[in-house]
Amino acid sequence: MNRLMIFLDAIRDHLDSHQLPPAASVDVNAWSSPITVQLDVDGLPEVSRALVVWTQTLEDVSARLWRLCDGKWVHLSITGRTPCGIPVLVFGVVRFEPSVFPDLPAGVKQDMPVYLLRGWSSPGEVAA
């Protein structure tokens, strides 16, 4: 079986096995990993909540922030592995708010603790 089929089977099985938040796109590429899932949710609490759900289905999870170069948007992402070992990156995009991301200059990527997602999943939480 070729690599693409393995990746397709792995993400299909993972999506079938868990009740996951809606995805806008799933990018499966045999030449580069990880499988990339873009969430179809808006707002910091919703994106954070969706990422937390994904963290509960993956192993070796880490989280990252990336403020886009235009400065108006922030990618929140997690990376991990399905139980069968396939790497997955899941991300959502939120508006940049200085009160939430006080030390995140435009164009910068930062690792972050996964627990921040849990805090942001409740409206009213601030400060990275």
Side-chain angles (χ1 to χ4, degrees):
M1 182 179 290
N2 71 39
R3 185 175 167 97
L4 180 61
M5 294 304 294
I6 293 168
F7 277 36
L8 286 169
D9 288 344
I11 196 63
R12 185 198 66 229
D13 292 346
H14 196 77
L15 293 169
D16 282 346
S17 298
H18 304 283
Q19 293 206 359
L20 295 165
S25 67
V26 176
D27 181 25
V28 180
N29 188 323
W31 302 110
S32 66
S33 58
I35 293 171
T36 303
V37 178
Q38 181 177 0
L39 297 170
D40 188 19
V41 293
D42 294 318
L44 183 60
E46 294 80 5
V47 169
S48 297
R49 198 172 303 119
L51 290 171
V52 167
V53 170
W54 271 91
T55 67
Q56 297 165 354
T57 71
L58 300 172
E59 300 171 356
D60 301 322
V61 177
S62 61
R64 178 170 256 210
L65 299 165
W66 171 30
R67 185 171 172 199
L68 301 180
C69 291
D70 71 3
K72 297 177 185 177
W73 301 98
V74 177
H75 275 217
L76 299 177
S77 65
I78 60 162
T79 56
R81 294 188 174 280
T82 63
C84 68
I86 302 296
V88 178
L89 180 144
V90 183
F91 76 95
V93 181
V94 300
R95 279 208 169 274
F96 173 75
E97 293 292 336
S99 63
V100 178
F101 309 105
D103 298 319
L104 188 62
V108 171
K109 295 179 182 181
Q110 290 181 358
D111 292 334
M112 64 178 243
V114 174
Y115 72 80
L116 281 178
L117 295 170
R118 288 180 184 84
W120 288 334
S121 66
S122 301
E125 296 294 324
V126 296

